[in-house]
Amino acid sequence: METDFTPWASLGGGVLIGLAAVLLMGLHGRILGATGILSGLLRLDDPADWSLRAALVAGMAAGPLVFLLVTGAMPAIDLPVSLAEVILGGVIVGIGVSYGGGCTSGHGVCGNARFARRSMVATVTFMATAFATVFVTRHLLGA
Amino acid sequence: MRLLSAFAIGLIFGLGIAVSGMINPAKVLNFFDLAGTWDPSLAFVMGGALAVAIPGYRLVLRQPAPALDTRFQLPDTRIIDGRLVLGSATFGVGWGIAGFCPGGALPALGTGSLDVFVFILSLILGLLIARHMQRRGLSRKPA
């Protein structure tokens, strides 16, 4: 499935993502990492911490609704893979980010923004295996 | 105030994910498909985010403490080990299979898509599996 090249929208969206990361650090002193926020929600021992994470996730989920209000349409979600692949990919992502200590937002944006060597290594690694995986599934297995 | 601020920050992030196209697995997978329907947009997302986060972090981390909390919570580990690399490599494989990453999927929940919900549940399952494996690994180590 082809998708349009959208440099300006992607750049603008990226700026918002970076802004959110800076605000979360400047106001709350935290890394804006989806992995960390989600795994913290699975712990129930610190109610104040839990409510902060829940508010973050609620805000995130409200993002597409604001997009809908402004543009008149929900952002497109096209899934070129099967539901089985969504489930398999989801479980693998969960295990990987847990051991790797972060994902695209935590390592890719926040960690790299403060030039953390761990995050640079993580980012290069997960980008490389994602490129390799898509090559295998689309061109070798011929999905 | 704390929660309202967290909600607003989540909203900026979620809107950024929606506008940028990171919310759409078709676009994410095309970024990784160099040999096929390549869409370079996502490089612009990362570029935009880092262009803001690098100077922004530098600015806020110079402050003695975050505005609404007592201290900055930054990862204290600097160790680059097999766990970081293998975990990140695993994440990339899952990302390449499903097309969703955690930071893309949390905002996508707001679209009401069932696929996203299934992905998040699978992701949580993966996080719990990893947590279980890590606990068992810890308990096997001598005290």
Side-chain angles (χ1 to χ4, degrees):
Chain A
M1 179 195 293
E2 297 252 1
T3 49
D4 294 331
F5 176 46
T6 55
W8 292 111
S10 290
L11 194 67
V15 164
L16 289 176
I17 293 167
L19 179 67
V22 173
L23 286 173
L24 191 64
M25 186 57 76
L27 296 175
H28 300 276
R30 288 158 189 264
I31 295 276
L32 208 177
T35 297
I37 292 166
L38 188 62
S39 41
L41 274 180
L42 303 176
R43 269 174 238 274
L44 305 169
D45 47 1
D46 184 346
D49 183 76
W50 195 90
S51 57
L52 191 84
R53 292 165 192 272
L56 270 169
V57 172
M60 287 182 189
L65 303 174
V66 173
F67 186 93
L68 170 68
L69 282 177
V70 175
T71 67
M74 274 288 186
I77 294 188
D78 311 303
L79 209 62
V81 299
S82 68
L83 198 61
E85 286 168 304
V86 169
I87 295 170
L88 178 70
V91 173
I92 294 175
V93 167
I95 295 173
V97 295
S98 184
Y99 277 92
C103 54
T104 331
S105 46
H107 278 313
V109 176
C110 299
N112 288 332
R114 54 188 196 100
F115 301 104
R117 192 133 336 138
R118 268 173 64 82
S119 295
M120 296 186 191
V121 170
T123 307
V124 169
T125 307
F126 64 64
M127 295 302 273
T129 54
F131 274 110
T133 302
V134 170
F135 184 77
V136 170
T137 56
R138 289 203 173 170
H139 300 286
L140 298 184
L141 302 178
Chain B
M1 182 62 203
R2 256 175 97 248
L3 295 185
L4 199 64
S5 146
F7 181 86
I9 293 168
L11 182 61
I12 295 171
F13 179 84
L15 195 59
I17 291 287
V19 171
S20 69
M22 279 295 290
I23 200 166
N24 190 354
K27 221 164 155 56
V28 172
L29 290 173
N30 277 348
F31 176 71
F32 292 123
D33 193 6
L34 286 174
T37 49
W38 191 48
D39 175 357
S41 303
L42 296 196
F44 290 75
V45 184
M46 194 60 105
L50 286 175
V52 174
I54 290 172
Y57 262 25
R58 190 158 290 187
L59 203 71
V60 301
L61 288 174
R62 221 183 275 152
Q63 311 304 315
L68 301 176
D69 211 322
T70 50
R71 63 184 183 92
F72 293 109
Q73 299 181 32
L74 294 170
D76 45 13
T77 172
R78 300 203 166 180
I79 306 165
I80 293 168
D81 53 5
R83 189 187 165 95
L84 174 78
V85 174
L86 283 177
S88 299
T90 305
F91 161 45
V93 171
W95 195 15
I97 292 173
F100 281 116
C101 62
L106 285 178
L109 275 175
T111 65
S113 150
L114 187 65
D115 298 318
V116 177
F117 192 68
V118 170
F119 175 81
I120 293 283
L121 286 182
S122 316
L123 171 64
I124 289 173
L125 178 64
L127 287 172
L128 293 175
I129 290 173
R131 189 174 289 181
H132 182 70
M133 284 168 22
Q134 284 160 6
R135 227 173 252 158
R136 280 186 45 173
L138 276 181
S139 63
R140 250 191 250 121
K141 276 185 198 151

